[in-house]
């Protein structure tokens, strides 16, 4: 009955939203793509989401948008609470809702949460693929190319190896975007491999698929690769992809001569030729081709204005470029969301150059002021982080104190409620005894007293219910905090030839103080494992701050000892609670095999089954400013296995309070050389669970394993 009721309500709400639905939708011919095995709940959710006229919502009032978002998210929340959707599916749908509403940062948050779920049931695989694909596109849109690669690489591997739900257009889209990312990250060899995969995969599909939709999609994706080569000024690569796109276009023209894409395609053909002949030094011909492009309507939409500037800025036609940026101001909307450094670089800096070189000093000064105002907040927010996720749950230390007070009040109220119940029950039996002894004479008085006792007892029960509800709210907040904390450590690891890396963290309580992380910059892999002093909420807050600092400093290319020094100064400042973190920080050069590391009071890692012998003993991070940290080096790490861990491994206790111990770990790790990193960590978690034999974990458990082949 419950599921029937939910589904009926779901349909009713879907009909309510249908007032926003587009009345006329263009039917497009699609290829025969593999489709996921939707359940009835999935179908109802998708029909409800896509029945909304999102274009009208976007250009409507904020109140209308918030109303629609609130109602749709309430539907997802209720289905998750009822068990009709699991966390992976619910988070995927939340991301879809906010993405359709063009609230990209909120959508990115939910998609990021979705792909951290470990569930991979057959029905759920399309959730993971869809969330990963949409997240990758959002990261690409805001120029976070490294973030895109961290999501797209394992997604393509999942598509290739697992045989999961596969959209052909998604796969070719990801390959083309991957090539563009590598070009913009100045890795042309990797870019070439990716775009060749896009080309070869496209040829395979086009050999058997003649649909309008596939041809048009491939033209768009291949044109994107051409644009990326233009933007990095690799005009030879751009000319090659112009020719390849033209060959697809000619085939498409023969099959679909009346397609409505041709006015757009023909317009961009003139722009492509302008770029091509300008790169050959034929400036007059380039100007003539650009003039032809301006006769098409597509030259005045967002994409046309942006791509026009690829030609205008390279041709140093500053006034025309400045006019384009002024026209783009009417389209660019940040939706009051936080501005990223990448967006400043991609839009505002070229806009400043165009106005400055065009002699428009006032406009250039205005843009410079915009950059100055936005840069400070963008740098602070993106570079250092504000722990905003944790603050929304705890309101930092103030909220933590509030939770502690609530817990104390809960215990006190429970004590008073129990006492009141005992007193009332005793009173009841006294009254009952008197009633038996004095019979009718005391009947009326006893009856009144019994009613009073009943009222007091009901009050006591009400107090108990209130305290129970308060306890449940606190537990709910802690569960949310755990989810946020787990989302702060990476669940996806780099896929590089010869590199085998995996890590897991298991908090002992709702929230914990362990951490791990990594940053991949070209051939330089930074990684760390840490253990914060203490337990619970304070440790989790200190853990979040430590993880943010590591990521920020690692992106600046420092050596591990310098990272430890800077982290120590930052965390020691104002550290009235005297908290600290032990940490092992490493920098692995993937091209040479050299490993630089700095151990800051942390457990000695295992290397090839033995404890790593270290010459320097550094203090824990957070003990006092100005203390130097000394690093060490392994000249060639290739062919070796490194395991870094926290106290939850060697100090795991069984019911008799016996530790797992270093000696047993040495014996276990001496036989682990043939296992890959994932297998090593799975084996150690099983050893800990068997040793504990049902005892509650006494500490958080974090494991990271790395291997680098020759």
């Amino acid at each position: 009955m419950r599921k029937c009721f939910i589904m009926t309500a779901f349909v009713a709400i879907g009909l309510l939203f249908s007032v926003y639905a587009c009345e006329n939708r263009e039917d497009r011919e699609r290829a025969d793509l593999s489709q996921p095995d939707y359940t009835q709940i999935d179908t109802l959710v998708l029909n409800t989401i896509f029945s909304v006229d999102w274009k009208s919502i976007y250009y409507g009032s904020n109140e209308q948008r918030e109303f629609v978002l609130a109602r749709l998210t309430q539907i997802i929340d209720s289905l998750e609470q009822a068990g009709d959707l699991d966390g992976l599916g619910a988070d995927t749908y939340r991301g879809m809702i906010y993405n359709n509403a063009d609230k990209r940062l909120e959508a990115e948050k939910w998609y990021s949460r979705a792909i951290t779920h470990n569930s991979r049931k057959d029905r759920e695989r399309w959730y993971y693929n869809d969330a990963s694909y949409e997240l990758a596109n959002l990261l690409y849109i805001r120029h976070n190319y490294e973030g895109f690669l961290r999501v797209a690489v394992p997604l393509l591997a999942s598509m290739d190896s697992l045989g999961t739900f596969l959209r052909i257009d998604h796969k070719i889209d990801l390959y083309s975007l991957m090539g563009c990312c590598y070009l913009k990250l100045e890795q042309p060899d990797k870019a070439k491999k990716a775009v060749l995969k896009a080309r070869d995969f496209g040829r395979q599909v086009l050999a058997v698929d003649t649909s309008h939709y596939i041809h048009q999609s491939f033209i768009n994706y291949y044109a994107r690769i051409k644009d990326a080569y233009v933007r990095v000024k690799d005009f030879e690569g751009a000319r090659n992809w112009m020719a390849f796109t033209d060959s697809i276009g000619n085939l498409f023209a023969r099959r679909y001569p009346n397609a409505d894409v041709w006015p757009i395609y023909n317009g961009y053909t003139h722009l492509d030729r302008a770029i091509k002949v300008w790169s050959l030094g034929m400036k007059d011909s380039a100007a003539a081709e650009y003039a032809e492009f301006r006769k098409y309507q597509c030259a005045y939409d967002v994409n046309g204005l942006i791509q026009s500037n690829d030609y205008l800025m390279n041709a140093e036609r500053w006034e025309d470029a400045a006019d384009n940026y002024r026209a783009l101001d009417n389209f660019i909307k940040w939706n009051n969301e936080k501005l990223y450094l990448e967006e400043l670089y991609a839009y505002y800096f070229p806009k400043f150059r165009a106005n400055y070189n065009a002699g428009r000093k006032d406009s250039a000064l205005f843009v410079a002021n915009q950059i100055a105002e936005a840069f400070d907040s963008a740098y602070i927010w993106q570079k250092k982080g504000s722990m905003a996720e944790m603050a929304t749950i705890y309101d930092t230390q103030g909220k933590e104190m509030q939770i502690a007070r609530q817990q104390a009040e809960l215990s006190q109220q429970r004590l008073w409620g129990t006492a009141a119940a005992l007193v009332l029950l005793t009173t009841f039996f006294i009254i009952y005894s008197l009633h038996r002894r004095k019979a009718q004479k005391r009947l009326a008085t006893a009856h009144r007293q019994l009613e009073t006792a009943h009222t007091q007892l009901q009050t006591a029960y009400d107090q108990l219910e209130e305290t129970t509800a308060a306890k449940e709210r606190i537990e709910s907040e802690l569960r949310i905090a755990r989810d946020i904390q787990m989302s702060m450590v990476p669940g996806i690891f780099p896929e590089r030839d010869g590199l085998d890396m995996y890590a897991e963290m298991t908090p002992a309580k709702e929230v914990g103080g362990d951490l791990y992380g990594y940053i991949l910059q070209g051939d330089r892999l930074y990684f760390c494992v840490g253990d914060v002093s203490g337990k619970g909420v304070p440790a989790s807050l200190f853990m979040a701050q430590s993880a943010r600092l590591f990521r920020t400093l690692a992106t600046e290319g420092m050596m591990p000892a310098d990272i430890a020094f800077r982290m120590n100064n930052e965390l020691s400042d104002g550290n009235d609670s005297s908290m600290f973190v032990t940490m092992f920080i490493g920098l692995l050069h993937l091209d040479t095999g050299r490993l630089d590391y700095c151990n800051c009071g942390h457990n000695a890692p295992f290397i090839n089954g033995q404890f790593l012998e270290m010459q320097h003993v550094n203090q824990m991070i957070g003990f006092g400013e100005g203390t130097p940290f000394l690093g060490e080096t392994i000249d060639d790490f290739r062919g070796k296995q490194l395991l870094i861990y926290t106290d939850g491994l060697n100090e795991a206790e069984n019911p008799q309070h016996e530790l797992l111990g270093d000696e047993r770990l040495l014996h276990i790790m001496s036989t682990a050389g043939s296992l890959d990193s994932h297998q090593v960590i799975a084996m150690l978690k099983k050893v800990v669970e068997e040793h504990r034999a049902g005892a509650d974990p006494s500490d958080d458990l974090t494991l990271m394993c790395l291997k680098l082949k020759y």
Side-chain angles (χ1 to χ4, degrees), residues 330-613:
N330 298 322
F331 294 101
I332 301 297
K333 292 183 178 180
W334 302 114
N335 296 322
N336 296 319
E337 296 184 323
K338 293 170 181 170
L339 192 62
Y340 288 85
L341 291 175
E342 295 94 335
E343 291 159 343
L344 282 175
Y345 176 79
Y347 181 73
Y348 283 107
F349 281 96
K351 180 181 177 183
F352 169 79
R353 285 183 57 225
N355 281 282
Y356 180 82
N357 289 312
R360 301 177 183 179
K361 306 301 182 184
D362 291 339
S363 296
L365 180 60
F366 177 77
V367 178
N369 286 331
Q370 284 183 309
I371 294 172
E373 291 174 1
F375 184 84
D376 186 54
S377 60
Y379 179 83
I380 292 173
W381 182 69
Q382 184 160 322
K383 204 70 175 170
K384 293 185 176 180
S386 62
M387 295 173 60
E389 302 95 335
M390 296 295 288
T392 58
I393 301 301
Y394 297 113
D395 198 18
T396 59
Q397 298 293 338
K399 187 66 175 179
E400 176 194 337
M401 294 173 63
Q402 181 181 349
I403 292 174
R405 287 196 301 270
Q406 288 177 347
Q407 289 175 331
E409 290 170 359
L410 175 64
S411 299
Q412 186 177 16
Q413 289 174 1
R414 184 184 293 113
L415 180 61
W416 280 109
T418 303
L422 290 173
V423 170
L424 290 171
L425 287 172
T426 302
T427 303
F428 172 80
F429 283 111
I430 292 173
I431 293 171
Y432 180 74
S433 299
L434 290 173
H435 172 75
R436 290 285 304 270
R437 296 164 102 182
K438 297 186 179 181
Q440 296 296 329
K441 189 166 65 174
R442 298 286 185 178
L443 182 59
T445 303
H447 183 68
R448 288 194 298 270
Q449 291 177 340
L450 191 57
E451 287 182 340
T452 302
H454 175 75
T455 302
Q456 293 175 342
L457 186 60
Q458 184 62 50
T459 302
Y461 277 123
D462 291 342
Q463 290 176 346
L464 286 173
E465 289 179 355
E466 290 176 3
T467 55
T468 301
K471 178 176 180 293
E472 290 175 351
R473 285 194 299 271
I474 294 170
E475 290 175 347
S476 176
E477 288 185 345
L478 290 174
R479 284 194 298 271
I480 296 172
R482 178 190 176 97
D483 291 341
I484 291 176
Q485 185 180 22
M486 295 302 293
S487 69
M488 295 177 69
V489 296
I492 301 172
F493 300 95
E495 295 191 3
R496 293 286 297 267
D497 291 339
L499 175 65
D500 178 19
M501 178 180 184
Y502 189 76
E504 278 192 17
M505 181 177 77
T506 307
K509 306 295 183 183
E510 286 83 0
V511 290
D514 279 7
L515 67 123
Y516 71 86
Y518 76 88
I519 294 291
L520 180 61
Q521 294 182 312
D523 290 320
R524 295 159 64 91
L525 174 66
Y526 288 88
F527 59 92
C528 74
V529 171
D531 186 0
V532 175
S533 60
K535 299 289 187 296
V537 173
S540 71
L541 292 171
F542 204 83
M543 165 267 183
Q545 190 177 6
S546 302
R548 295 284 190 187
L549 280 171
F550 165 76
R551 285 196 292 270
T552 298
L553 296 172
T555 56
E556 295 181 4
M558 296 182 176
M559 292 294 288
D562 296 327
I563 293 175
F565 178 79
R566 289 280 297 276
M567 286 185 65
N568 181 63
N569 289 344
E570 289 287 339
L571 294 175
S572 297
D573 185 19
N575 185 10
D576 296 332
S577 59
S578 299
M579 298 190 71
F580 61 86
V581 57
T582 68
M583 185 174 285
F584 184 94
I585 304 172
L587 167 57
L588 179 58
H589 302 263
L590 300 177
D591 51 348
T592 65
R594 171 174 167 167
L595 173 63
D596 298 304
Y597 64 89
C598 180
N599 191 46
C600 311
H602 199 73
N603 300 321
F606 285 95
I607 184 164
N608 283 356
Q610 299 295 322
F611 286 117
L612 176 61
E613 296 183 2

